[in-house]
Amino acid sequence: MAKKNNLIKLGDAINQLFKQEKLDVKISQFSVKNGWKDIVGDMIANSTTEIFFNEKIIFITLSSAALKHELTFRREELVNSINKFCGYKLVDQIVIR
């Protein structure tokens, strides 16, 4: 009687582990923090004091009141830039403080 193999490809196993442990999201969040300057540019990046995530919401703290006001009107554009940087829909909403 032949034994049934339960083998899967290593890449598939790693992807399955990443999704199961939500590591893919954590890696993407880390990438956004590290690539913030590339996503938003020098001026906004230099005024950003804090970035953190809660589920699909990104919280940005800025030191410039003028930039806070400007980015409030450009939220959708910023969300799209972040998601484009990641290659998938990482965030649904942005909160600017």
Side-chain angles (χ1 to χ4, degrees), residues 10 17 30 38 48 59 63 69-71 74 79 84 91:
L10 180 60
L17 175 67
F30 180 78
D38 296 328
T48 303
F59 294 83
S63 59
H69 186 70
E70 181 183 338
L71 288 182
R74 295 177 46 199
V79 167
K84 184 178 178 184
V91 293

Side-chain angles (χ1 to χ4, degrees), residues 1-32:
M1 192 162 175
K3 211 175 198 185
K4 189 174 183 179
N5 261 343
N6 290 330
L7 299 177
I8 61 172
K9 293 180 183 177
L10 180 60
D12 293 340
I14 291 171
N15 286 336
Q16 186 178 13
L17 175 67
F18 271 38
K19 287 183 194 278
Q20 182 179 352
E21 297 298 322
K22 296 187 179 177
L23 293 175
D24 54 342
V25 172
K26 292 178 196 278
I27 290 170
S28 293
Q29 290 173 348
F30 180 78
S31 296
V32 167

Side-chain angles (χ1 to χ4, degrees), residues 29-73:
Q29 290 173 348
F30 180 78
S31 296
V32 167
K33 287 180 181 181
N34 282 342
W36 188 243
K37 191 175 188 178
D38 296 328
I39 297 169
V40 297
D42 290 333
M43 186 172 64
I44 296 171
N46 290 337
S47 294
T48 303
T49 57
E50 186 178 19
I51 302 170
F52 70 93
F53 293 85
N54 185 2
E55 299 293 322
K56 288 192 164 267
I57 302 172
I58 184 171
F59 294 83
I60 310 297
T61 305
L62 299 171
S63 59
S64 168
L67 279 177
K68 286 179 194 177
H69 186 70
E70 181 183 338
L71 288 182
T72 300
F73 295 108

